[in-house]
Amino acid sequence: MIIHDVTNIRVRYYDTDQMGIVYYGNYARFYEIGRVEALRHLGLPYKKMEEDGISMPVYDLSSRFIRPAKYDDLLTIRVTIPQLPKTRLMFNYEIFNQDGQLLNTGQTTLVFVRSDTGRPCAAPTDLVEAAKPFFES
């Protein structure tokens, strides 16, 4: 299993509603920040995959709201990749505030797609090779 923490994500005013609470739609953006940085940490940024002709559209997304994130909170996004990627890549998320309180959990599944054809494909070999050591016992 791969676990990566993205820290020091400050909640900005534009992230919130009139009550100073993070608008629910912004959690998808927080998830994106987390997964982009987790892949970068593995040595395979999205940009490189796109340059290699691979896109990763979101197949599904779920989110559970436990406590509200508020204006000026400092968030940590914990990203977990629970399975070795094949044609899909699953990400689990936990979002904590600066006090370590769990605010939100979520999950996304992305599909590997060839940019030129729009057809699903296998995970890039370099991503699979970078991830393998985390799944070997």
Side-chain angles (χ1 to χ4, degrees):
M1 179 171 6
I2 298 169
I3 301 172
H4 181 70
D5 286 351
V6 180
T7 59
N8 299 318
I9 305 299
R10 179 76 61 187
V11 174
R12 307 289 185 214
Y13 185 75
Y14 65 79
D15 292 323
T16 65
D17 59 21
Q18 286 184 325
M19 298 176 287
I21 294 173
V22 171
Y23 175 68
Y24 74 92
N26 285 320
Y27 286 87
R29 185 172 54 84
F30 294 150
Y31 299 164
E32 181 181 8
I33 290 168
R35 72 176 170 264
V36 165
E37 294 306 320
L39 289 174
R40 184 184 315 280
H41 178 73
L42 281 175
L44 194 62
Y46 263 44
K47 185 175 181 177
K48 176 162 182 352
M49 279 193 275
E50 288 173 347
E51 289 169 351
D52 292 343
I54 303 293
S55 298
M56 293 177 61
V58 174
Y59 176 72
D60 67 20
L61 177 146
S62 64
S63 194
R64 181 168 174 248
F65 303 95
I66 300 163
R67 290 186 176 88
K70 298 177 182 173
Y71 172 67
D72 208 40
D73 277 355
L74 200 55
L75 306 179
T76 296
I77 305 166
R78 175 162 297 145
V79 181
T80 305
I81 301 173
Q83 304 168 14
L84 194 62
K86 295 186 181 176
T87 57
R88 298 179 182 180
L89 180 53
M90 182 187 300
F91 296 88
N92 294 324
Y93 310 93
E94 294 176 306
I95 299 179
F96 300 90
N97 67 11
Q98 64 277 354
D99 298 323
Q101 293 177 308
L102 179 62
L103 307 178
N104 176 276
T105 61
Q107 182 181 69
T108 58
T109 303
L110 284 76
V111 180
F112 296 101
V113 172
R114 289 183 44 96
S115 301
D116 59 349
T117 65
R119 304 287 301 159
C121 64
T125 304
D126 44 355
L127 174 60
V128 174
E129 292 303 316
K132 266 185 187 176
F134 295 92
F135 295 93
E136 295 172 348
S137 9

